[in-house]
Amino acid sequence: MKVPYSYLDEQFAEPGSILEKIRATLLRHHQYTFGPELEEFEEKMARYTGARHCLGTSSGTIGLTMLLKAVGVGPGDEVITVSQTFIATIGSIVAAGARPYYVDVLDDFTIDPKLIEDAITEKTRAIMPVWYSGSPPQMKEIVEIAGRHSLPVIEDSCCAISAKIGGKHAGTFGVAGAFSVHPLKNLNVWGDGGFIVTNSQEVYEKILLLRNHGLKGRDEVELYGFNGRLDTIQAIVGNHLYPRIDEITDRRIANAAVYDRAFSSPGLARFITVPPRREGGRHVYHMYMVLAADRDRLLAHLIEAGIEAKVHYPIPNHLQKASLEQDPPFGRTGLSKTEAQCRSLISLPVHQHLSDEQINHVIEAVGEFYLGRERG
Ligand SMILES: *Cc1c(COP(=O)(O)O)cnc(C)c1O
C-alpha cells in the first residue's frame, strides 16, 4: 500500500469548475492583478480569522518581510524568533535588513516564552513567534512580554490557517500575522500566494503601499516597496476552496488524533514522543511531527513500506551555512532542545485524502519497526 505525502493530484483531480471560474471571470474584466476577486478573498479571510483587515500578498514570506518593514524593522535591528522553523521565517527577517536572534523552543516546537525576556536588548525591534506545523505558541505570555517592552509581535502563521488558541485565530494576537496559501498549506492555491491579517489601521495602510511598489495612486512613490500582490487567478482558486477550509482542517485534525492515540500506547510511547497538545488550542497539522527513537532507520523502514514520511528539517536554521557565515554571527541563546528535536523529528502523511487503511498502515509499519524488532 502506498501512503503519499502530497495530495494535490487528488485535491485538484477535477479542476473543471475552477478553470471555468477563471475563464468566466477573466473574460469579463481582464484584471489579472487587483481584480474584484482579490477583494472578495480578503473579505472572506478577514471574516474567517476575525481580523479587521486582510490583504492578499504574493507569498507568505513577502508578507512577513513587508510586515517587519511596516512596523519599522530595518538594518541594525534584531528580531527575536526561533531556529526551529522553515527557512522563510529567517529569510524574511534578513530580507527586511535585520538579523534574527534565535531562542530555544518548548516540547511542542514553539518559542519558549521564558527565554524571550533575557534575549531582549536595545537592538530588539520585534518578536516573531512561529505557529510551527500549525501548533499554537503561548501567545498570551508572548504578547504580555512584548507589551512590557513596547515591542511589536509579528506572527509567522504561514502554516496555520484555521489554527487557534482560546478561540482566537492565528495572526490576531500580535500587531499582525502573515499566512501562506502555497500548494502545500492547508488552504492552497495554484502557485505562490499568501495574505496578512491585522487589526491595526496603520499597518494596513503601510502594507497597501508596500505591496504595490510604495505607489500612492499611479504616479507617486511614497516609499520603496515590493511587488507583493496576490494575483487575481490565485484569489479565484482561494475563493473556490474557502467553503472547505473547516472540513479539510477537521479531517487533518482527526487523522492526527488517530496517530496521537496509537503512538501514546504503552508499547510505542517508549519510542515515539508525541509533543504536548495545548488545552484550548486548535493545532491544524500542516505537518504531523513526532520525535522518534532511531529516526533515520525508522524513516528508511517507512519508505520501504511505501509510506512517504519526511524529515522537517534535519539541519536547524542556526546551523545552516547561510547563518553560520554571518559576521558577526546571529545572536542566540542555548538551542539544545532545537538541536535535539532536529535529530529525531519525523513527519508522517496526515492530509485530508488519507483513508483509514492508509493511516492504519502507517501505524502498523511504525509498530513493526519498534515492536516487531523486539519480539524477533
Ligand atoms: C510556508 C511557510 C513560510 C513561507 O510561506 P511561502 O508562502 O512559501 O513564502 C514561512 N514560514 C513558515 C513557518 C512556513 O511554513
Side-chain angles (χ1 to χ4, degrees):
M1 185 185 294
K2 289 256 178 287
V3 187
Y5 193 87
S6 173
Y7 50 93
L8 297 175
D9 51 343
E10 283 173 276
Q11 182 175 11
F12 294 118
E14 286 166 27
S17 57
I18 301 178
L19 288 169
E20 193 39 52
K21 275 185 195 169
I22 291 174
R23 215 178 99 84
T25 314
L26 294 183
L27 283 180
R28 199 166 66 239
H29 60 52
H30 293 283
Q31 282 177 259
Y32 300 103
T33 62
F34 289 130
E37 292 74 19
L38 174 61
E39 270 170 49
E40 181 189 337
F41 179 71
E42 292 170 344
E43 275 162 28
K44 282 187 154 91
M45 294 319 299
R47 199 176 331 123
Y48 186 75
T49 57
R52 197 166 306 147
H53 304 288
C54 170
L55 286 168
T57 59
S58 52
S59 72
T61 310
I62 208 84
L64 289 170
T65 302
M66 293 193 294
L67 283 175
L68 289 169
K69 292 198 77 143
V71 298
V73 171
D77 295 337
E78 279 182 359
V79 178
I80 295 175
T81 191
V82 286
S83 172
Q84 182 61 283
T85 181
F86 179 50
I87 171 63
T89 311
I90 311 306
S92 74
I93 295 168
V94 175
R99 293 158 54 85
Y101 186 99
Y102 301 118
V103 301
D104 217 354
V105 287
L106 299 163
D107 290 335
D108 67 358
F109 319 131
T110 66
I111 193 164
D112 185 343
K114 288 192 304 300
L115 303 176
I116 294 177
E117 202 126 35
D118 280 345
I120 294 173
T121 67
E122 69 283 357
K123 286 187 179 156
T124 309
R125 200 66 56 202
I127 302 173
M128 189 185 277
V130 181
W131 290 65
Y132 195 46
S133 77
S135 174
Q138 297 198 335
M139 290 311 303
K140 193 163 150 277
E141 291 81 350
I142 296 165
V143 167
E144 261 168 33
I145 295 163
R148 278 206 293 281
H149 296 268
S150 306
L151 291 168
V153 173
I154 303 294
E155 295 173 60
D156 180 346
S157 35
C158 279
C159 53
I161 292 174
S162 190
K164 294 183 223 179
I165 178 105
K168 207 164 138 73
H169 274 270
T172 64
F173 289 83
V175 174
F179 293 83
S180 169
V181 286
H182 177 275
L184 288 179
K185 310 294 181 176
N186 46 349
L187 176 72
N188 45 1
V189 298
W190 285 356
D192 279 306
F195 59 92
I196 65 117
V197 298
T198 182
N199 290 325
S200 157
Q201 184 68 22
E202 193 188 329
V203 168
Y204 169 71
E205 284 172 15
K206 276 261 172 66
I207 298 292
L208 272 178
L209 286 171
L210 282 169
R211 75 167 174 178
N212 193 35
H213 308 291
L215 278 168
K216 194 175 183 193
R218 225 186 126 255
D219 301 318
E220 285 166 61
V221 181
E222 291 262 308
L223 43 80
Y224 290 107
F226 301 85
N227 179 345
R229 306 170 300 247
L230 179 68
D231 291 339
T232 306
I233 289 183
Q234 303 305 353
I236 293 170
V237 181
N239 288 334
H240 176 88
L241 285 175
Y242 174 82
R244 297 194 45 218
I245 301 178
D246 286 331
E247 167 204 332
I248 289 171
T249 311
D250 290 345
R251 187 74 236 164
R252 297 175 83 105
I253 292 172
N255 290 346
V258 176
Y259 282 143
D260 275 7
R261 261 197 310 281
F263 300 146
S264 305
S265 67
L268 283 176
R270 287 180 292 141
F271 304 100
I272 300 267
T273 307
V274 175
R277 308 299 186 198
R278 184 136 341 116
E279 219 182 296
R282 177 170 162 90
H283 184 328
V284 298
Y285 302 99
H286 161 57
M287 300 186 277
Y288 180 86
M289 305 197 306
V290 288
L291 303 174
D294 206 359
R295 190 262 320 269
D296 292 341
R297 288 192 48 237
L298 172 66
L299 180 68
H301 175 83
L302 294 178
I303 286 170
E304 185 73 15
I307 298 158
E308 210 182 331
K310 290 184 187 287
V311 171
H312 300 99
Y313 296 94
I315 307 170
N317 278 289
H318 68 283
L319 298 179
Q320 294 286 352
K321 177 166 176 272
S323 186
L324 291 170
E325 279 180 353
Q326 298 294 324
D327 183 23
F330 288 148
R332 55 152 136 163
T333 47
L335 297 169
S336 54
K337 206 158 228 173
T338 299
E339 289 180 14
Q341 287 172 359
C342 288
R343 284 191 292 270
S344 28
L345 273 174
I346 191 163
S347 304
L348 303 174
V350 72
H351 61 81
Q352 63 270 23
H353 295 278
L354 292 177
S355 66
D356 292 349
E357 290 73 27
Q358 284 174 310
I359 292 172
N360 284 334
H361 180 60
V362 175
I363 293 167
E364 275 168 27
V366 171
E368 184 185 271
F369 178 72
Y370 291 116
L371 306 174
R373 225 174 25 163
E374 232 173 31
R375 279 188 219 111

